[in-house]
Amino acid sequence: MKAVFRLLVKRKGSRFALIVIAFLFFVAYFAPVIAGSKPLVASHGGLFIPAFRDLFPFNRFFKPDDISLRLQQDPDWLRQKSGADLPKFFLMPPVPYSPVETRLDDISLPPGLRNRHFFGCDDNGRDILSRLVHGTKNSLLVGFIAVGIAGLLGMIIGGVGGYYGGLVDSLVVSRLIEVMLSFPTFFLIITIAAVIDPKYLNIYTLMVIIGLTSWTSIARYTRGEFFRLREIDYVQAAKVQGAGGYHIILNHLMPNSLAPILVTLTFGIGGAILAESGLSFLGVGVQPPEPSWGNVLSMVQKSWGSWWIGLFPGFMIFISVLSYNLLGDALRDALDPKERN
């Protein structure tokens, strides 16, 4: 693993990808303190940290404070210039707007520093940067959870076909893979998402849909690797010693076939992010007001003159998918014994 990591760090492309991915994880976790309408710290009859209370795991243990409850009733409370009940001191996040907060005065407002709408606003007066920051979590969740589901299914189905072969492979596994490959994956996802009741169409539903329709490439890699490895001497020796199929698959075949599967999973994360963004752009993915890079980008269709609505979310999608593809490419080379030597 040290040799693999050294090769990843050595390549400029993979270094860039790792930095971008680490930055995306940072933004996803600290979204409430980067962009939100709750202050980071406030003095109001005591010292409060409303924004930090929304961070996991603090949100599991701390109840909303008085400032958070007041802001739920009056989102513009802290923007008042005067008032006897205002906090003596408060510090707002760098982007002092909630991702679902609408302001009539800011409809289709272009980017600017004076009002701290750094990426501008959409046609509902919602801050674009705040929605992108909070949408990062959804995009990463879809990427990893959907690929996790697809990877688990693909390794199970491909592993069964590759290890047992014969009728199990020719009549069940191979035919199932061919049936799934006969449908264009993205259009299959759109069809499934379109027939689901909109009230059930959320980020978790998308994870399951993308995962259940994207396992074929992983199954094919797993099947091919198992076909190759099951004839190797140490697998035959395990069979002679009386080891069962379950033991051989878990302890011999799966660990030695993980390298190409891991590369496929890395590429799959970028594909899942792109699929979710495409679905949300078409209106069958994450539904507003919940933020997603895709549904932020879709707003540009209503206002083509608002260039910032298309530029910034489009760049986020591009840079994240590019990073995972660069990382997958570098990981493929790093896991190749010839490259390591």
Side-chain angles (χ1 to χ4, degrees), residues 147-218:
V147 168
I149 295 172
L152 183 62
L153 275 176
M155 285 189 285
I156 292 174
I157 295 173
V160 169
Y163 178 74
Y164 292 103
L167 293 178
V168 173
D169 175 59
S170 59
L171 294 181
V172 180
V173 174
S174 294
R175 300 292 81 78
L176 182 60
I177 293 175
E178 289 172 1
V179 168
M180 291 298 297
L181 288 174
S182 65
F183 297 100
T185 304
F186 188 70
F187 293 103
L188 178 61
I189 296 173
I190 291 177
T191 303
I192 297 173
V195 300
I196 292 178
D197 191 326
K199 66 181 179 181
Y200 299 118
L201 197 57
N202 52 41
I203 192 69
Y204 303 103
T205 307
L206 285 183
M207 295 176 191
V208 175
I209 293 173
I210 295 174
L212 293 178
T213 55
S214 306
W215 54 267
T216 51
S217 60
I218 300 168

Side-chain angles (χ1 to χ4, degrees), residues 54-284:
D54 292 337
L55 285 176
F56 180 84
F58 306 110
N59 58 356
R60 301 295 183 185
F61 303 105
F62 296 105
K63 295 181 179 179
D65 51 58
D66 294 337
I67 293 179
S68 299
L69 295 174
R70 179 63 184 273
L71 286 171
Q72 289 179 4
Q73 300 173 358
D74 183 10
D76 291 327
W77 173 48
L78 293 178
R79 296 191 179 95
Q80 298 175 10
K81 295 183 179 179
S82 62
D85 60 342
L86 284 174
K88 297 180 180 179
F89 164 79
F90 63 91
L91 177 65
M92 296 299 292
V95 183
Y97 302 100
S98 164
V100 298
E101 178 183 356
T102 60
R103 298 177 59 83
L104 296 178
D105 295 338
D106 296 338
I107 289 177
S108 298
L109 194 70
L113 299 179
R114 182 180 60 83
N115 49 27
R116 299 178 75 175
H117 288 299
F118 303 113
F119 285 7
C121 296
D122 62 16
D123 60 351
N124 289 313
R126 295 176 297 205
D127 184 81
I128 295 294
L129 180 54
S130 179
R131 291 182 63 76
L132 293 180
V133 167
H134 286 266
T136 303
K137 178 182 177 181
N138 287 336
S139 296
L140 292 180
L141 275 177
V142 169
F144 280 88
I145 303 299
V147 168
I149 295 172
L152 183 62
L153 275 176
M155 285 189 285
I156 292 174
I157 295 173
V160 169
Y163 178 74
Y164 292 103
L167 293 178
V168 173
D169 175 59
S170 59
L171 294 181
V172 180
V173 174
S174 294
R175 300 292 81 78
L176 182 60
I177 293 175
E178 289 172 1
V179 168
M180 291 298 297
L181 288 174
S182 65
F183 297 100
T185 304
F186 188 70
F187 293 103
L188 178 61
I189 296 173
I190 291 177
T191 303
I192 297 173
V195 300
I196 292 178
D197 191 326
K199 66 181 179 181
Y200 299 118
L201 197 57
N202 52 41
I203 192 69
Y204 303 103
T205 307
L206 285 183
M207 295 176 191
V208 175
I209 293 173
I210 295 174
L212 293 178
T213 55
S214 306
W215 54 267
T216 51
S217 60
I218 300 168
R220 293 171 68 190
Y221 273 106
T222 306
R223 176 177 172 271
E225 285 296 300
F226 274 38
F227 268 128
R228 180 179 66 85
L229 293 172
R230 69 178 186 176
E231 303 299 333
I232 293 181
D233 292 343
Y234 61 81
V235 175
Q236 297 300 320
K239 288 182 180 180
V240 170
Q241 292 176 359
Y246 182 78
H247 174 84
I248 293 174
I249 290 174
L250 288 184
N251 293 279
H252 298 288
L253 297 181
M254 190 61 69
N256 289 284
S257 62
L258 278 180
I261 296 173
L262 186 61
V263 173
T264 307
L265 291 174
T266 305
F267 283 117
I269 295 173
I273 292 174
L274 191 60
E276 182 275 324
S277 299
L279 291 172
S280 298
F281 179 83
L282 295 173
V284 292

